[in-house]
Amino acid sequence: MATIYEVSKAAGVSLATVSRVINGNARVSERTKEKVHKAMAELGYKPNAIAQSLASNRSNSVGLLVSELHGSFFGDMMSSIESMLRDAGKHVVITAGHSEAEKEKQAIEFLISRRCDALILNAEAVSEEYLKSLLDNNIEIILINRNIESLQERCIVLDNQLGGYLATKAAIDQGHRNIAYISGPHFKEDAQQRLAGHKQALEEAGISFDSSLCFEGGYHESEGQDGFNTLFKQKNTFTALICANDEMASGAMTAAREHGLSIPNDLSIIGFDNVLFARYLYPKLTTVDNPIAKMGEMAANWVLSNIYNTKTSTPINHLFKPELIIRDSLGALHAD
């Protein structure tokens, strides 16, 4: 394998000049860069990534923490971040925290140990104090899907309360007043906000919130099934069901059909996220669009702009607005 010394000799330049070319130093002339690159190509020289990172104090890698590695929602987030950073010549190191504080800390420490230049964190369980301690130790972070008031310039979030409001208001606008709700885990910020939006829409319409019509799920399809079955077996009367994500909505749709209900004739169902499969369910799922891919791109843009000083044409947007997507699973309430 060729060495940097051989490249230096073949190009007729100093070792320092070869090093500057490898690390992208702008002070090297284009003519000299061409000579060095030609020598590298002819000798088959491959720069040592570890040596480069030590010399430039940059690893050209970005750490990404997500809650889970499965599912369309997190897949869209990871794909958009990886694609944008790869196009900029950066690599992404991905790990999962599984929404548990200790596992999130272990995952973050792993990313730090890999000398990532910055961390994009979908961190749901670690404390605000822990996240601030990272900044105090010069660890660059940008948070996605979590809002911390004192770190708002490092947060990229969705207005989840507005999303919850839009979902329930859509059912109310179709005449529904007995509306059940399957929430996400109550310890999660986005689940709390979506439920708050649900309650806001009910209150605005003069409908009292009934806790017996609310089931706490965990954002998985099976909990949508469990939620519907629990609500149905309690003999609760409801004509519309709002689910805090599309996975639970799909599980609820399956359970409703198993009980002989027709959607939307007997029961309207609304989801949240607008993941890919929502438009292929039968009937097609009415849902709230959660632009997680665009939020991922924004987080990547933040890293490129603030960490790598790359000029981007996209201004950083810290708050995204949800949008209601009307499809076939929502119908008007018909009087008997």
Side-chain angles (χ1 to χ4, degrees):
M1 182 179 294
T3 68
I4 191 172
Y5 301 98
E6 292 172 302
V7 173
S8 168
K9 183 177 180 181
V13 298
S14 67
L15 288 173
T17 298
V18 175
S19 179
R20 283 195 287 268
V21 171
I22 291 172
N23 291 306
N25 192 306
R27 290 180 295 175
V28 182
S29 71
E30 288 300 319
R31 184 168 176 269
T32 299
K33 287 180 183 178
E34 289 177 8
K35 287 167 60 179
V36 173
H37 285 304
K38 181 181 179 182
M40 289 168 60
E42 290 176 347
L43 293 169
Y45 174 76
K46 302 293 184 183
N48 183 296
I50 295 174
Q52 277 185 270
S53 67
L54 291 172
S56 64
N57 203 29
R58 283 277 185 256
S59 66
N60 284 321
S61 62
V62 176
L64 172 58
L65 170 72
V66 294
S67 294
E68 305 289 345
L69 295 174
H70 66 82
S72 179
F73 179 82
F74 294 108
D76 287 347
M77 180 196 298
M78 290 185 284
S79 179
S80 64
I81 291 171
E82 194 277 339
S83 178
M84 177 156 285
L85 290 174
R86 178 176 283 273
D87 286 346
K90 316 302 176 187
H91 290 275
V92 180
V93 182
I94 302 173
T95 186
H98 303 288
S99 301
E100 296 179 26
E102 191 56 38
K103 289 182 179 179
E104 287 187 351
K105 286 182 181 179
Q106 291 172 359
I108 290 170
E109 294 300 326
F110 164 75
L111 294 174
I112 293 171
S113 75
R114 305 310 296 173
R115 301 188 74 252
C116 294
D117 299 326
L119 308 182
I120 299 174
L121 304 178
N122 172 221
E124 300 179 309
V126 292
S127 68
E128 178 179 338
E129 290 70 27
Y130 175 78
L131 293 170
K132 288 181 177 178
S133 74
L134 296 176
L135 292 172
D136 291 340
N137 285 284
N138 298 315
I139 306 299
E140 295 286 357
I141 64 172
I142 178 74
L143 303 174
I144 191 167
N145 210 32
R146 180 169 176 179
N147 188 43
I148 296 177
E149 188 172 348
S150 61
L151 300 175
Q152 281 192 341
E153 75 283 358
R154 291 176 179 267
C155 299
I156 295 174
V157 296
L158 179 75
D159 189 338
N160 280 289
Q161 182 164 337
L162 176 59
Y165 171 85
L166 291 174
T168 300
K169 187 175 186 304
I172 293 170
D173 287 346
Q174 291 297 315
H176 298 277
R177 296 189 66 81
N178 295 315
I179 303 172
Y181 190 86
I182 300 179
S183 78
H186 289 173
F187 79 90
K188 292 193 175 187
E189 181 181 278
D190 57 2
Q192 296 169 16
Q193 293 169 345
R194 292 173 193 184
L195 179 57
H198 168 68
K199 292 178 178 179
Q200 178 189 350
L202 293 177
E203 182 179 3
E204 187 180 276
I207 303 171
S208 298
F209 173 74
D210 183 351
S211 59
S212 70
L213 286 173
C214 187
F215 178 90
E216 181 182 356
Y219 282 149
H220 299 115
E221 185 177 354
S222 60
E223 286 137 351
Q225 289 181 298
D226 293 342
F228 176 85
N229 289 330
T230 299
L231 294 167
F232 190 80
K233 288 175 182 177
Q234 289 174 351
K235 305 301 181 183
N236 288 309
T237 301
F238 54 94
T239 61
L241 173 63
I242 314 298
C243 298
N245 80 337
D246 291 342
E247 282 199 35
M248 293 194 297
S250 68
M253 290 172 74
T254 297
R257 279 193 290 268
E258 289 173 348
H259 285 280
L261 299 183
S262 172
I263 304 168
N265 296 327
D266 300 322
L267 177 69
S268 288
I269 296 183
I270 301 176
F272 200 115
D273 283 339
N274 192 30
V275 297
L276 180 63
F277 67 74
R279 70 199 71 173
Y280 298 110
L281 292 172
Y282 182 78
K284 296 177 181 178
L285 182 64
T286 292
T287 185
V288 175
D289 185 54
N290 182 355
I292 191 61
K294 292 181 180 177
M295 292 167 66
E297 289 178 359
M298 194 58 61
N301 262 318
W302 186 94
V303 169
L304 292 173
S305 176
N306 289 275
I307 307 305
Y308 296 111
N309 299 314
T310 302
K311 291 182 180 179
T312 64
S313 58
T314 305
I316 302 301
N317 177 19
H318 291 276
L319 179 63
F320 283 74
K321 296 292 185 182
E323 179 184 352
L324 182 71
I325 308 295
I326 299 290
R327 297 196 182 102
D328 301 334
S329 66
L330 172 63
L333 178 65
H334 299 290
D336 294 332

